[in-house]
Amino acid sequence: MNEKSQARKDRLIKGLIIILFLGGIICLVIPFAKRALLSYRIESVSVQQTLSVPTNEVSQGSVIIQPPTLSETLALYRHQPEASLGRLVIPDVAIDVPIFPTLINENLLLGAVTMFPERDPNQENLVLVSHHLWNETLLFGPLMNVQPGQAMFLSYGDQVYQYRVTEIKTVPATEISVMDNRQLGELTLITCDRPTLTDQRLVVNGTLVKEEPDEIKEKMHNAQEQGVKTISDNRLIIRHFGWLLVCVFIIMLVLTWIVIKL
């Protein structure tokens, strides 16, 4: 009877060890898996562009801008992207993202969102917001490296625009005056100052540069061509990261089997 009790106790202890071991491994793997899935979705998603820009204010959703959860990342794979209004390209820091009209978290994870899509870029302050993720080559993460004087290109509807970075600053998240419309041709980019929960925002402001549309289109096209290699390199890194996760999972199974046999 004592031997049976001891055997039952040994099995219970072994089971608890296995559960704790697997739980620890899962806790370690989940953040990396989330990052790999999110990076791949951002880099591989196909977005259609519309040439029509809203002339009336768009009803925006209520979104708290913060690092995405695993459930939000998985939901992104089921989300069908809405048509974009254009693209933002900043060649010096390898930014090339679509611009969406509606403030929902899925759009913030796939590109940038224009807070006031009805504003005229020629004579008003166009405000774009996006995420700053752990992988600072994605979305608005590269804004951390932007410098005054650098060029920013914007396709918006059927028009193209060029801006020059004039101001870079960090403000409290409650400082909404940076989005005010000063009746000037401006571009304002807003993101978190770091890829974790924060109450500060990085704000990059640019002023409109008057040039011929054909010249701007050529410059923007050349900038996007330069960015193709960056995107390819990112995808290669993500692919290698995916294989690393597979190896970790196999090692986890082997170690579990060893624990069971102890």
Side-chain angles (χ1 to χ4, degrees):
M1 191 69 178
N2 289 333
E3 290 182 359
K4 290 183 179 180
S5 298
Q6 185 61 42
R8 190 181 301 112
K9 183 178 180 180
D10 291 342
R11 287 196 298 270
L12 179 60
I13 293 174
K14 185 182 292 186
L16 288 173
I17 292 173
I18 293 172
I19 291 172
L20 291 174
F21 177 76
L22 290 176
I25 293 294
I26 291 172
C27 289
L28 289 174
V29 169
I30 282 179
F32 295 101
K34 181 186 72 173
R35 293 171 180 178
L37 289 170
L38 183 57
S39 297
Y40 182 78
R41 180 58 173 168
I42 293 172
E43 293 287 6
S44 62
V45 69
S46 177
V47 178
Q48 299 297 318
Q49 181 175 339
T50 178
L51 297 181
S52 61
V53 175
T55 56
N56 298 319
E57 185 175 348
V58 174
S59 177
Q60 301 287 12
S62 177
V63 175
I64 299 176
I65 301 178
Q66 58 185 5
T69 63
L70 178 61
S71 62
E72 289 171 336
T73 299
L74 295 175
L76 196 61
Y77 278 79
R78 301 190 298 271
H79 173 69
Q80 181 62 38
E82 65 178 323
S84 71
L85 300 179
R87 298 192 75 85
L88 170 69
V89 177
I90 308 178
D92 288 314
V93 292
I95 286 181
D96 184 352
V97 296
I99 300 168
F100 299 104
T102 311
L103 184 61
I104 56 175
N105 203 44
E106 289 81 1
N107 286 344
L108 288 171
L109 289 172
L110 293 178
V113 172
T114 174
M115 297 298 294
F116 310 98
E118 73 283 358
R119 287 184 180 178
D120 181 359
N122 273 309
Q123 54 190 7
E124 297 183 277
N125 182 20
L126 194 68
V127 181
L128 305 181
V129 298
S130 188
H131 274 299
H132 178 183
L133 301 175
W134 68 277
N135 183 346
E136 295 194 336
T137 66
L138 299 175
L139 302 177
F140 273 10
L143 285 181
M144 302 302 296
N145 301 317
V146 79
Q147 297 294 326
Q150 291 178 341
M152 301 187 290
F153 298 96
L154 176 76
S155 67
Y156 203 65
D158 60 351
Q159 301 295 316
V160 291
Y161 306 89
Q162 181 179 351
Y163 299 84
R164 191 71 60 188
V165 177
T166 55
E167 185 179 19
I168 305 164
K169 59 185 178 181
T170 301
V171 301
T174 54
E175 184 60 64
I176 61 174
S177 63
V178 295
M179 297 189 288
D180 288 349
N181 196 2
R182 291 174 285 274
Q183 303 301 317
L184 298 171
E186 294 180 285
L187 180 63
T188 300
L189 311 178
I190 303 174
T191 191
C192 295
D193 66 326
R194 56 178 181 265
T196 55
L197 287 175
T198 175
D199 60 357
Q200 298 292 304
R201 298 292 181 264
L202 176 70
V203 179
V204 176
N205 185 260
T207 56
L208 189 66
V209 177
K210 297 292 185 180
E211 282 194 13
E212 291 297 323
D214 289 341
E215 293 182 10
I216 298 176
K217 282 182 181 179
E218 183 177 357
K219 289 181 179 179
M220 186 170 181
H221 175 74
N222 292 337
Q224 289 180 297
E225 286 293 318
Q226 294 173 9
V228 169
K229 184 180 185 303
T230 300
I231 293 174
S232 299
D233 290 344
N234 286 343
R235 289 181 180 175
L236 184 62
I237 292 172
I238 293 167
R239 190 177 299 116
H240 289 164
F241 192 73
W243 279 112
L244 177 62
L245 288 177
V246 171
C247 292
V248 170
F249 182 73
I250 293 174
I251 293 173
M252 179 182 70
L253 292 179
V254 171
L255 290 176
T256 302
W257 180 81
I258 291 174
V259 171
I260 292 175
K261 292 297 182 179
L262 290 177

